[in-house]
Amino acid sequence: MPRQNILTGSPWEDKMGYCRAVRIGNTIEVSGTVAIVDGEKVKADDAYAQTQNILERIEKVLEQAGASMKDVVRTRIFTTDITQFDNIAKAHGTYFKDIKPTTSLYEISKLVAPEYLVEIEFTAIVE
């Protein structure tokens, strides 16, 4: 089966040697993704906005891979502040209320930079 790498132009892709997503056959794995914190719409203290931003961006990545959010079967959510569960869950629910992928939420000590509260990995299987 051919491999399709989906790149987004992030400088980290070459620096670290990874891509945003890989599709092989009908399976798509999406790398851990953090928000684009701009200080206006997406702030360092807003877990809801960060989660929304991640989901909006990954929806476009899945489209590039020939899939949609309806194809997501698993999300893994990492947060540096588990007390933000309700905000993260609310944003996640806006996309997945009816799809209902398997989901895990983990509190971890740090992400790659202090302004990031949330990072999400995705697995999608295209029917």
Side-chain angles (χ1 to χ4, degrees):
M1 285 184 240
R3 174 188 179 115
Q4 177 187 5
N5 288 348
I6 292 93
L7 299 164
T8 60
S10 165
W12 291 98
E13 290 170 341
D14 283 337
K15 183 175 187 175
M16 194 170 177
Y18 84 103
C19 61
R20 179 61 48 212
V22 174
R23 178 175 179 161
I24 298 177
N26 66 339
T27 303
I28 303 164
E29 292 287 346
V30 181
S31 295
T33 303
V34 295
I36 296 174
V37 177
D38 62 11
E40 294 176 20
K41 182 179 177 187
V42 181
K43 298 179 181 172
D45 63 350
D46 189 342
Y48 176 84
Q50 287 192 25
T51 305
Q52 273 293 124
N53 181 269
I54 294 164
L55 295 165
E56 289 168 2
R57 293 174 51 228
I58 295 310
E59 185 172 40
K60 293 175 183 151
V61 168
L62 289 172
E63 287 172 6
Q64 290 177 7
S68 73
M69 293 299 243
K70 291 179 182 177
D71 298 308
V72 173
V73 296
R74 172 179 273 296
T75 59
R76 289 177 191 88
I77 306 168
F78 303 91
T79 182
T80 57
D81 184 359
I82 201 71
T83 67
Q84 293 296 315
F85 171 82
D86 287 337
N87 292 319
I88 295 166
K90 181 179 175 186
H92 190 272
T94 63
Y95 277 82
F96 294 117
K97 178 182 170 208
D98 296 323
I99 300 165
K100 297 197 179 359
T102 61
T103 300
S104 302
L105 177 65
Y106 308 94
E107 182 178 51
I108 59 174
S109 62
K110 294 180 184 176
L111 289 166
V112 71
E115 65 268 22
Y116 301 126
L117 298 174
V118 180
E119 181 170 329
I120 307 175
E121 298 175 350
F122 301 78
T123 301
I125 299 176
V126 180
E127 291 187 48

